[in-house]
Amino acid sequence: FYKVGSEEMAQDLTQNTFLKALEKIAQFKTNTNFKAWLYTIARNEIIDFYRTKKRTIDLDRVSELVFEDHISDIFARDSLEKVWLALKKLTREEQEVVILHSIEDLSFDEIAQITRKTSGSLRILKYRALIKLKKVLNNVK
């Protein structure tokens, strides 16, 4: 959902991800992290989606997000919208590492398997991204 901004499209891509995983389960190496393998398939689905659709992520639709705990407080929505607007100012790589680590709660090792970057470089990337986010959020009133 974070990548495509549409609940319906996110559901379609999720379905495609699991179908591809099922088709390729014989190729899964047991010494590999299953979660990272599945996220790699999902990531590739999103890349293919954008390659064929040439759409952009509409993070301005944040107010339409459905919250698990039904937060209706205007302040919470306002804060969330500010964070999403700040996230838009990051590069795609920075957005990805922040979302995968801070929101999806993946470890840096899992993200490294997905992105084919080193765990150390991802830590640095996230650190720099958080500094940028802090600066942007401090400038937003």
Side-chain angles (χ1 to χ4, degrees):
F1 178 81
Y2 298 120
K3 293 285 187 177
V4 294
S6 160
E7 190 173 334
E8 294 81 19
M9 186 53 61
Q11 289 173 350
D12 289 347
L13 291 173
T14 301
Q15 179 179 337
N16 291 347
T17 297
F18 282 99
L19 287 173
K20 282 196 178 173
L22 188 59
E23 290 170 2
K24 297 176 185 254
I25 196 71
Q27 297 173 3
F28 174 70
K29 296 177 180 89
T30 54
N31 62 341
T32 310
N33 183 311
F34 183 76
K35 191 174 177 183
W37 180 72
L38 194 59
Y39 267 93
T40 301
I41 295 171
R43 183 176 188 244
N44 290 336
E45 278 296 305
I46 291 168
I47 290 169
D48 289 346
F49 167 75
Y50 281 109
R51 227 180 256 146
T52 58
K53 299 294 182 192
K54 301 291 183 197
R55 290 184 52 196
T56 58
I57 300 172
D58 185 10
L59 293 177
D60 294 326
R61 293 181 50 214
V62 142
S63 60
E64 298 173 21
L65 286 175
V66 178
F67 298 96
E68 238 179 82
D69 54 352
H70 305 290
I71 297 172
S72 60
D73 179 53
I74 294 171
F75 178 75
R77 286 186 190 180
D78 186 49
S79 296
L80 181 63
E81 185 170 0
K82 286 177 184 174
V83 170
W84 279 113
L85 291 173
L87 270 174
K88 277 177 69 172
K89 298 194 185 288
L90 300 178
T91 66
R92 283 193 183 267
E93 281 184 327
E94 291 168 335
Q95 288 176 20
E96 185 173 44
V97 73
V98 169
I99 290 170
L100 289 175
H101 191 257
S102 298
I103 297 172
E104 298 294 333
D105 203 28
L106 294 180
S107 71
F108 284 112
D109 289 336
E110 291 170 324
I111 299 169
Q113 289 179 344
I114 294 166
T115 61
R116 295 191 174 100
K117 296 183 183 296
T118 67
S119 181
S121 67
L122 291 168
R123 289 176 197 277
I124 292 168
L125 183 64
K126 183 180 179 200
Y127 175 77
R128 290 178 180 160
L130 291 178
I131 289 172
K132 281 185 188 178
L133 274 176
K134 185 177 179 181
K135 286 180 184 176
V136 170
L137 288 171
N138 285 337
N139 292 329
V140 175
K141 303 283 187 218

